[in-house]
Amino acid sequence: MKTWTVLLSTLCLFSCNQQDNKFEKYVNPLIGTDIRVVQGKDKNSTEERGQIMPAVGVPHGMTNWVAQTQATEQKCYPPYYYFQDAIQGFRASHWMNGSCTQDYGSVTIMPLNNKLETDPLKRASSFDHTAETATPSYYTVDLKDYGIHAELTGLSRAGIMQFTFQQDGEHYIVIEPNSDEGVAFIQIDPEKKEITGYNPVHRIYQGRGKEAGFSGYFVIQLNEEIADYGVWDSTAVTSGKKSTQGRKHNVGAWVKLASDKPGKALVRVGTSFTSIENARKNLIAEIPGWDFDKVRRASSDTWNQALGQIAVKGNNEEEKVKFYSALYNAHFLPRTFSDTDGSYPKFDGGEQIMKMDHGTYYCDFSQWDTYRAVHPLFSILNPTRNGDMAHSLVLKGQQGGWLPIFPSWNSYTAAMIGDHCIAMIGDAIVKDAPGFDYEEAYTLMRKNAFEANTDSNSYRDGKGRRAMESYLKYNYVPLEDPVMEAFHRREQVSRTLEYAYDDFVLSQVAKKLGKTDDYNALIKRAENYRNVIDPETGYARGRHADGSWIEPFAPYDFVNFITEGTPYHYTWYVPQDIAGLMQQMGGKERFIDRLDTFFEGDYYWHGNEPGHHIAYLFAYAGEPWKTQKWVHDIINREYFTTPDGLSGNDDAGQMSAWLVFSMVGFYPVCPGMPYYVIGSPTFEESVITLENGKKFTIEAKGASDKNIYIQSATLNGQPYDKSYILHKDIMNGGTLSFVMGDTPNKEWASSNESLPPSLGL
């Protein structure tokens, strides 16, 4: 591990001065903002970076407020990296936190003193991390080159910045829409002390370069008089009161403040995806005045309420920093997309403005990642919000004609494989989430699962499952199908495994809704994994249309029929039927032996999502003590409290949600089945305050760095000998109590009656 100056002490000093800041003080937003070089990779691999930004705002905010160290909306470049040494401004960002996607519709604001410079690299100021404070509700830094102390705070759709000019001189504010496509609009109204504009959004993946049908709109207001102002394009800077707007490449604006004396200048920003007028309405609704500290307190209170839903107790303060920083990062996405009045742009490139009938409209679903643990976490903490998110997906499907696969930028994409909006919505239905129509949702899910999109134009645009014709014909995707109309081409075996899982989840919905024929067809398709798990070798393996297996075959190699991994990684991807997988691999002993080798031989790769459930699979073989061992090993080896604290992209909070679940003591191996596999709690006590007002407590008596093994358990005072816990047991409230020790109790939860279920409860 690298040696870093950890800002925990600074965070605590700042936080402890705030009232009721019990939980926010443990969050270090700088975790995951730097590079960790992982074995076999180099420092230029963006997939090995956390891709976190130290943003302020509120959970699932429309806009995040963050320092900018690089001026781009290009793929895989977040606004901020810890290793970069200059700040170019402060951004109203829509970066998908922890991802390798792109920012969009953003705008950057930079204060300057005695120098007007519009180029981001030239205007950037050096800064020291020792003079930088980052919390969920407040960010501050000194811009050394200008003698300016900058502070940020914000809410969902509006933010406020406070710039303290510490020297005499000409004080400037630069405003730049960050359009990599070179199209933007900006306008200055000096009498109102207001700058308005927009940054048009363009797609990536399917539809790359096309307009997404909406823009990031902004209204920026100052509390200081404007003495002069101007705009620039890519070739010139203009000044004077006649130059008030532009629509050219790299458009931006600048204003010169009337005062040239030391003092504070406040800038407040409203944002919207529908119009400048609604950006102004959002600003007035959220930040009607100029009280910076009031907004900061409101943000802090919101974060403390969200973080405080899980109150942990223990003597290890660093573990609390890991935990609450992860819980913070799990609360970014999906983002709020509707205005305070419910307005939002129609999905799938339409310019029509829609209106929510109830709840909030959400977007940016990194669904290949977040169905695994992020949404299951919300299903416990915020089922109403999770229901709104499911409702948002249903609306997208109704407006675009197909349930989306990986909906981002309010557009269709086929960025990743699988059909996991089905998994997310299905899990919500199985767990009785409120706020959306199950029948409407089922109609869309069923279309994805039973129909191949034969319209070539809309298929290329990302509508419908990839390779669906092959999947329906063969019950697997054969190697002869190259899956050309996808961002990830080929990957036939991984697609088959993930479709089989999605079909299983939909079968559970069909069963719940009384659709017997569909259930029978889907539960049969849930076993399609058997068509790509070779029973002779016991590995996931490429298969031809004639049924023959690919030759030669090396299970440890990265190959094009597997997504971002090896056959060894994807062999374990049968979350719906681990008992059946065990049989397909050659029996329990072979399963355990290969699982042991997977971890002991260091084949496990935590930095990517497909393996996140694997440490919990020992429980299905009656050896939950090995799950307890390896979960703790992963926590200690993969998560640090330093800026290089993540070993891979956080991917919209999935890496962090894994940690939240695992430190509490259980994990959703198979979303769509309402249970969680028990691991090993990190904390002596974790109290989950549920939306229904009840509390579920996890006790771990004697828990420590060495006492990681469960000796015995009780649920609500009764002996408990199962290696899983039902969702309804959590939501009903109660206490799950463990006695911990430093040696495995190989008898606890090891009987056949104790094993987690497969293919349904």
Side-chain angles (χ1 to χ4, degrees):
M1 186 191 306
K2 297 179 182 177
T3 301
W4 297 93
T5 301
V6 182
L7 301 183
L8 177 58
S9 58
T10 305
L11 289 169
C12 188
L13 286 173
F14 161 72
S15 300
C16 291
N17 290 327
Q18 294 195 56
Q19 186 177 7
D20 297 327
N21 200 11
K22 185 176 181 181
F23 304 101
E24 189 189 16
K25 69 180 180 181
Y26 288 111
V27 177
N28 181 356
L30 295 175
I31 293 173
T33 61
D34 208 347
I35 297 173
R36 188 197 303 181
V37 179
V38 179
Q39 184 178 4
K41 299 288 183 177
D42 63 49
K43 66 180 181 180
N44 295 317
S45 172
T46 55
E47 290 184 1
E48 303 310 312
R49 303 178 183 184
Q51 301 289 77
I52 293 293
M53 60 178 175
V56 300
V58 294
H60 305 285
M62 172 181 286
T63 305
N64 305 123
W65 313 94
V66 61
Q68 173 182 303
T69 62
Q70 53 185 1
T72 177
E73 286 187 341
Q74 294 178 358
K75 186 177 184 292
C76 293
Y77 290 94
Y80 176 102
Y81 273 139
Y82 188 89
F83 63 84
Q84 294 171 332
D85 58 7
I87 288 177
Q88 304 168 348
F90 302 94
R91 189 186 296 191
S93 172
H94 305 117
W95 171 252
M96 291 175 64
N97 206 36
S99 74
C100 201
T101 54
Q102 68 181 45
D103 206 342
Y104 64 92
S106 69
V107 61
T108 296
I109 298 167
M110 180 65 173
L112 305 171
N113 189 47
N114 275 329
K115 174 186 177 183
L116 176 59
E117 178 58 66
T118 60
D119 182 87
L121 292 175
K122 294 178 181 178
R123 75 177 183 235
S125 172
S126 60
F127 73 104
D128 289 331
H129 288 297
T130 55
E132 177 187 45
T133 298
T135 79
S137 62
Y138 177 76
Y139 176 90
T140 183
V141 70
D142 289 330
L143 303 178
K144 295 170 64 177
D145 296 354
Y146 300 110
I148 298 173
H149 181 66
E151 300 169 273
L152 277 70
T153 191
L155 300 175
S156 178
R157 306 168 182 88
I160 187 166
M161 306 176 186
Q162 185 166 262
F163 303 129
T164 302
F165 294 89
Q166 298 169 333
Q167 302 169 5
D168 290 337
E170 295 180 333
H171 304 331
Y172 296 96
I173 305 289
V174 170
I175 301 98
E176 183 175 17
N178 302 304
S179 173
D180 283 338
E181 287 76 14
V183 181
F185 170 87
I186 199 160
Q187 179 171 286
I188 305 169
D189 187 329
E191 285 74 27
K192 290 184 177 180
K193 297 177 285 188
E194 183 178 86
I195 302 95
T196 56
Y198 58 79
N199 177 359
V201 178
H202 293 75
R203 297 169 63 179
I204 63 172
Y205 302 125
Q206 273 59 43
R208 181 177 179 85
K210 294 181 182 178
E211 292 187 1
F214 68 99
S215 298
Y217 296 93
F218 57 86
V219 171
I220 299 169
Q221 298 177 347
L222 311 177
N223 75 333
E224 295 287 327
E225 297 295 330
I226 296 174
D228 198 5
Y229 56 92
V231 298
W232 79 87
D233 60 29
S234 58
T235 60
V237 176
T238 61
S239 63
K241 296 180 172 56
K242 292 183 180 180
S243 181
T244 59
Q245 62 182 359
R247 188 170 181 171
K248 301 180 181 179
H249 291 293
N250 303 323
V251 169
W254 58 269
V255 297
K256 178 183 176 182
L257 303 182
S259 174
D260 59 1
K261 301 299 182 184
K264 293 181 178 180
L266 288 166
V267 179
R268 60 185 184 183
V269 188
T271 63
S272 170
F273 292 120
T274 60
S275 68
I276 290 174
E277 179 184 359
N278 278 2
R280 186 179 289 108
K281 289 179 180 178
N282 290 340
L283 175 59
I284 294 170
E286 293 190 356
I287 307 180
W290 294 97
D291 191 333
F292 182 93
D293 290 337
K294 181 179 180 180
V295 178
R296 179 179 167 187
R297 287 193 299 272
S299 173
S300 181
D301 289 346
T302 303
W303 275 113
N304 275 303
Q305 182 178 4
L307 298 169
Q309 278 197 265
I310 308 179
V312 301
K313 293 181 181 179
N315 295 321
N316 190 322
E317 297 296 285
E318 186 175 23
E319 296 294 343
K320 293 178 183 177
V321 174
K322 280 187 183 182
F323 179 80
Y324 283 110
S325 299
L327 190 55
Y328 156 79
N329 284 325
H331 275 83
F332 276 87
L333 297 168
R335 79 173 70 257
T336 294
F337 222 71
S338 52
D339 296 322
T340 53
D341 68 355
S343 299
Y344 68 93
K346 184 180 179 181
F347 186 68
D348 188 29
E351 296 184 1
Q352 183 180 353
I353 302 303
M354 312 298 288
K355 207 73 168 285
M356 289 297 291
D357 53 355
H358 67 272
T360 300
Y361 179 76
Y362 291 92
C363 200
D364 289 347
F365 289 79
S366 187
Q367 206 64 286
W368 188 72
D369 311 291
T370 57
Y371 85 88
R372 304 168 196 268
V374 174
H375 287 288
L377 181 63
F378 299 157
S379 75
I380 296 173
L381 299 179
N382 304 106
T384 297
R385 176 182 284 166
N386 202 46
D388 275 1
M389 292 172 178
H391 180 49
S392 299
L393 291 174
V394 172
L395 290 172
K396 296 177 200 301
Q398 291 173 334
Q399 291 167 19
W402 290 82
L403 188 68
I405 303 295
F406 191 100
S408 300
W409 316 283
N410 208 37
S411 303
Y412 283 98
T413 81
M416 295 300 298
I417 70 168
D419 192 7
H420 299 319
C421 285
I422 283 180
M424 181 270 169
I425 297 173
D427 188 55
I429 291 174
V430 167
K431 294 174 180 174
D432 298 317
F436 66 105
D437 189 303
Y438 292 179
E439 290 289 345
E440 290 181 355
Y442 185 81
T443 297
L444 290 164
M445 292 190 287
R446 190 189 188 284
K447 181 178 180 180
N448 274 33
F450 283 90
E451 297 181 27
N453 186 359
T454 57
D455 180 80
S456 60
N457 290 331
S458 66
Y459 181 68
R460 283 196 301 270
D461 200 47
K463 299 180 181 181
R465 286 188 186 181
R466 308 295 92 178
M468 191 57 174
E469 289 183 352
S470 291
Y471 181 70
L472 292 175
K473 179 178 180 180
Y474 297 98
N475 289 314
Y476 64 96
V477 182
L479 296 174
E480 284 77 5
D481 188 340
V483 199
M484 297 302 293
E485 301 299 339
F487 179 72
H488 282 237
R489 296 177 178 177
R490 301 180 178 85
E491 303 179 0
Q492 299 94 334
V493 170
S494 295
R495 292 179 196 279
T496 301
L497 292 170
E498 298 203 16
Y499 289 159
Y501 161 71
D502 292 321
D503 288 342
F504 167 76
V505 176
L506 189 55
S507 79
Q508 301 305 289
V509 177
K511 183 178 181 180
K512 181 167 183 169
L513 299 182
K515 303 180 186 301
T516 304
D517 290 344
D518 283 358
Y519 168 77
N520 290 333
L522 289 162
I523 199 67
K524 182 178 179 181
R525 281 167 49 177
E527 295 193 66
N528 281 348
Y529 70 88
R530 296 181 183 272
N531 297 324
V532 290
I533 303 288
D534 175 15
E536 181 177 347
T537 64
Y539 289 107
R541 188 173 179 181
R543 197 169 192 181
H544 294 287
D546 65 5
S548 62
W549 300 100
I550 191 171
E551 294 285 359
F553 175 64
Y556 309 141
D557 292 348
F558 282 75
V559 288
N560 64 20
F561 57 81
I562 294 292
T563 301
E564 298 181 3
T566 70
Y568 205 177
H569 291 127
Y570 252 95
T571 294
W572 310 107
Y573 190 87
V574 188
Q576 73 276 19
D577 190 17
I578 301 302
L581 172 64
M582 203 177 303
Q583 179 189 58
Q584 186 75 3
M585 288 177 67
K588 178 178 176 180
E589 290 186 6
R590 191 182 197 188
F591 178 90
I592 293 173
D593 179 68
R594 191 158 287 172
L595 203 51
D596 286 338
T597 302
F598 187 73
F599 285 96
E600 293 169 0
D602 200 24
Y603 293 101
Y604 179 73
W605 178 19
H606 192 68
N608 206 17
E609 279 69 27
H612 277 187
H613 66 295
I614 300 175
Y616 288 87
L617 299 188
F618 289 103
Y620 292 81
E623 296 189 349
W625 62 273
K626 290 181 180 176
T627 287
Q628 296 154 30
K629 166 187 166 66
W630 288 112
V631 165
H632 271 276
D633 179 80
I634 294 167
I635 291 172
N636 293 331
R637 175 163 45 92
E638 301 288 344
Y639 295 89
F640 306 154
T641 57
T642 49
D644 67 339
L646 292 176
S647 60
N649 296 170
D650 195 47
D651 281 320
Q654 170 56 28
M655 285 274 284
S656 292
W658 184 96
L659 185 63
V660 170
F661 268 117
S662 295
M663 295 184 85
V664 167
F666 50 83
Y667 186 77
V669 167
C670 184
M673 274 199 276
Y675 74 84
Y676 309 86
V677 178
I678 292 171
S680 174
T682 296
F683 301 106
E684 297 170 14
E685 182 182 86
S686 300
V687 180
I688 303 173
T689 299
L690 303 167
E691 190 177 79
N692 59 18
K694 298 178 181 179
K695 295 181 184 295
F696 186 75
T697 300
I698 301 96
E699 296 178 342
K701 298 174 182 177
S704 68
D705 290 340
K706 293 183 178 180
N707 292 347
I708 65 173
Y709 296 106
I710 296 172
Q711 306 299 302
S712 62
T714 59
L715 178 61
N716 299 326
Q718 299 299 312
Y720 198 75
D721 193 46
K722 291 181 171 59
S723 57
Y724 64 96
I725 179 77
L726 295 176
H727 180 75
K728 67 180 181 180
D729 288 333
I730 295 173
M731 303 310 287
N732 286 336
T735 300
L736 179 62
S737 182
F738 301 105
V739 175
M740 310 300 293
D742 61 359
T743 57
N745 177 358
K746 297 181 181 180
E747 300 301 317
W748 181 79
S750 62
S751 68
N752 290 336
E753 294 74 22
S754 300
L755 307 182
S758 293
L759 281 183
L761 291 177

